[in-house]
């Protein structure tokens, strides 16, 4: 159990703990007025692409998740409690082609981040809608953000709109700008030369 490990053992090398919840992103915060226009598109290496409208997405089974998050800029925040949807609930809507090995997460305004399929499918990865009891604020990714807690937090796309399955790994936004392709906080995989 996470909570039985000491705080020191839960803090990756080079990280400092914070009780706050810093806001970090590139570009503007989207403010949604009309969520009837929101959908999540699942495409790429799938037999048939799927588009899940907001109302339908919100009806997926919800779960509570507890985790620690580690940002590449050296802050870590322990004991987050989230409400979200399991990745498996969304994966029921598509049939993956056997060639699918990597995922590109697409956010509003064209922001992207890449990760291996196996990391996306881990049962600790999820679509987050609430953090510590409150609906996500616009700054933290409202209405839906990805949460992949075992990788640096830049892989946790805010304002998620698309999931693309790929044959080969491709760099997303920060990965094209010098960040690591994988981003394991326990291996300090911060930059492409780490
Ligand atoms: N869509 C989008 N998601 C994003 C980013 C971004 O620029 N755009 N930045 C990432 C980075 S670098 C971090 S550290 C976390 C920060 O999440 P927070 O602002 O909720 O702390 O969001 C990640 N998700
Ligand atoms: Mo970050």
């Amino acid at each position: 159990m996470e909570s039985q490990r000491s705080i020191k053992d839960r803090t990756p090398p080079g990280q400092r703990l914070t009780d706050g919840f810093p806001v970090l992103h590139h570009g503007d915060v989207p403010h949604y007025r009309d969520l009837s226009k929101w959908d999540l598109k699942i495409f790429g290496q799938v037999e048939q692409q799927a588009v899940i409208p907001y109302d339908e997405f919100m009806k997926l089974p919800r779960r509570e998740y507890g985790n620690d998050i580690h940002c590449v800029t050296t802050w870590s925040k322990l004991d987050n409690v989230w409400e979200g949807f399991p990745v498996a609930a969304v994966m029921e809507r598509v049939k993956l082609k056997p060639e699918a090995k990597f995922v590109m997460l697409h956010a509003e305004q064209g922001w992207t981040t890449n990760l291996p399929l196996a990391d996306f499918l881990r049962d600790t990865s999820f679509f987050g809608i609430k953090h510590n009891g409150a609906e996500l604020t616009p700054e933290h990714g409202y209405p839906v953000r990805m949460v992949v807690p075992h990788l640096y937090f830049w892989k946790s796309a805010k304002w998620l709109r698309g999931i693309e399955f790929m044959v080969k790994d491709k760099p997303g936004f920060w990965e094209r700008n010098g960040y690591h392709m994988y981003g394991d906080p326990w291996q300090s995989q911060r930059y492409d030369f780490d």
Side-chain angles (χ1 to χ4, degrees):
M1 288 294 293
E2 283 290 281
S3 53
Q4 288 167 346
R5 290 163 61 213
S6 76
I7 286 183
K8 192 166 159 282
D9 287 348
R10 292 165 64 186
T11 310
Q15 296 293 111
R16 290 174 289 108
L17 299 184
T18 181
D19 289 328
F21 194 3
V23 170
L24 277 162
H25 52 259
H26 177 85
D28 300 328
V29 174
H31 288 270
Y32 295 87
R33 273 177 202 87
D34 183 5
L35 283 166
S36 70
K37 296 201 177 80
W38 186 98
D39 56 24
L40 183 70
K41 188 172 164 192
I42 310 169
F43 62 107
Q45 298 298 315
V46 288
E47 296 298 342
Q48 196 156 25
Q49 80 167 48
V51 178
I52 309 180
Y54 184 75
D55 287 352
E56 220 179 286
F57 192 76
M58 288 297 143
K59 285 182 198 145
L60 294 174
R62 293 173 190 212
R63 259 198 53 187
E64 196 173 276
Y65 294 85
N67 59 33
D68 298 340
I69 56 186
H70 310 294
C71 174
V72 71
T73 61
T74 75
W75 58 268
S76 288
K77 182 173 177 59
L78 307 185
D79 295 319
N80 300 277
V81 178
W82 304 82
E83 197 171 296
F85 307 113
V87 170
V90 167
M91 294 308 290
E92 281 176 12
R93 304 299 179 97
V94 288
K95 191 172 185 308
L96 277 186
K97 291 188 177 173
E99 301 91 288
K101 293 289 183 301
F102 292 91
V103 175
M104 188 71 82
L105 301 174
H106 293 259
E108 291 295 347
Q109 302 162 3
W111 192 89
T112 53
T113 190
N114 57 299
L115 71 166
L117 177 65
D119 295 84
F120 173 74
L121 294 179
R122 274 202 201 186
D123 63 6
T124 49
S125 303
F126 61 94
F127 304 99
I129 53 171
K130 282 189 178 180
H131 178 264
N132 289 352
E135 189 168 73
L136 285 181
T137 60
E139 289 73 18
H140 287 297
Y142 176 87
V144 179
R145 80 177 297 161
M146 192 73 213
V147 182
V148 184
H150 70 284
L151 300 178
Y152 279 125
F153 206 38
W154 90 79
K155 300 285 182 181
S156 293
K158 304 195 274 193
W159 316 299
L160 186 70
R161 290 299 300 274
I163 304 164
E164 178 185 7
F165 295 97
M166 311 187 291
V167 178
K168 290 202 179 109
D169 202 7
K170 272 202 308 199
F173 179 83
W174 284 120
E175 295 83 3
R176 282 196 304 276
N177 288 283
Y179 280 24
H180 200 275
M181 286 294 270
Y182 185 61
D184 179 352
W186 297 97
Q187 305 292 330
S188 298
Q189 293 174 342
R190 298 173 193 275
Y191 307 106
D192 51 11
F193 49 78
D194 286 332

